[in-house]
Amino acid sequence: MFFKRLRLDIAAAKANDPAARNKFEIWLTYSGVHALSWHRLANRLYKMRLKLLARIVSQWAKRRTGIEIHPAAKIAPGVFIDHGYGVVIGETAEVGTGTVIYQGCTLGGTGKETGKRHPTVGEHCVISAGAKVLGNITVGNCAKVGAGAVVLKDVPPCATVVGVPARVVKICGEAVPDLKQEKGDPYLTELCALRERTIALEERLAALEKVNNKENADS
C-alpha cells in the first residue's frame, strides 16, 4: 500500500511539473514527495494512537522539507506539492487525488473551533502560491484558487477564485456575469459621483463667498 501511494505521488509530480526529468530524480529530490511519504507514516502512527510519536515524525519532516502536515490530515494518493516550502495542512483537512498545492499555501482554521475546522479540497484542484483556504469549507472538484487568495467560503466545482476575500471570477472557463466588463466598476462609479458632488459644492461655496464679499463691500 505504501509503495503504491508513493508511485502515485511520483506520477503526479511527473505529470504536473515540466521540469521533472524522470521518476528516479523525483523520488530522490522532490521535497513534496518526501513530505507526503513521511506524512503517511505519521498518519499510520496517529491511527495506532501513537500520537506523540506521530507528531515527532511530522515535525521532523517539517524541518527536513519545510512542509507541515498534521498527522491526522487526510491526503489522497496522487497529490502533488510543488516546491512546497511554507505549506501548512491542518488536522481535519482533506485533500483529494490529483490536487496540486504550491508553496506558501495554508489549509487552516479560522480560530479555536472544535470538530471539523479545516477545509476539504476536492479532486484535481489547484491551490496556487500563497493562497489561504480557511475554515470548514469545501473546494469543489477541479476548482482553482489564485495566488495569494484568502478563501473563506465554499468554492463551486470547476470555479476559479481570486482576491481577498476570494470571489468567483470564472466557472468552467467562463466569466461569471457579475464580473463582465460591460457592467462597469462599482467603485469607480462611486468615486465619479463623489467627485461631481465635490465640484458642485465648491462652485456653491465660491458663489456664496462672492455674494458675501459684495455685501461687505456695499456696507
Side-chain angles (χ1 to χ4, degrees), residues 1-10 40 75-78:
M1 181 65 72
F2 174 83
F3 291 104
K4 179 180 179 181
R5 293 184 175 219
L6 177 60
R7 285 195 297 269
L8 290 172
D9 293 341
I10 292 173
R40 307 211 192 284
I75 302 179

Side-chain angles (χ1 to χ4, degrees), residues 107-205:
L107 305 182
T110 57
K112 296 183 179 180
E113 300 92 344
T114 58
K116 184 72 168 75
R117 60 190 186 280
H118 298 102
T120 297
V121 179
E123 298 181 354
H124 304 290
C125 297
V126 175
I127 313 296
S128 300
K132 314 299 178 187
V133 186
L134 306 176
N136 182 18
I137 61 176
T138 299
V139 179
N141 294 339
C142 302
K144 296 180 180 180
V145 178
V150 178
V151 184
L152 302 173
K153 297 180 179 179
D154 290 348
V155 178
C158 302
T160 300
V161 297
V162 299
V164 181
R167 65 191 187 282
V168 177
V169 294
K170 289 183 179 180
I171 296 180
C172 296
E174 298 291 331
V176 298
D178 288 342
L179 292 174
K180 287 186 177 178
Q181 291 297 322
E182 58 266 22
K183 294 198 70 173
D185 186 342
Y187 296 104
L188 180 61
T189 302
E190 185 66 21
L191 287 172
C192 289
L194 289 172
R195 181 174 180 273
E196 291 176 359
R197 180 169 176 79
T198 300
I199 292 173
L201 290 172
E202 288 177 346
E203 290 176 349
R204 185 176 178 185
L205 180 60

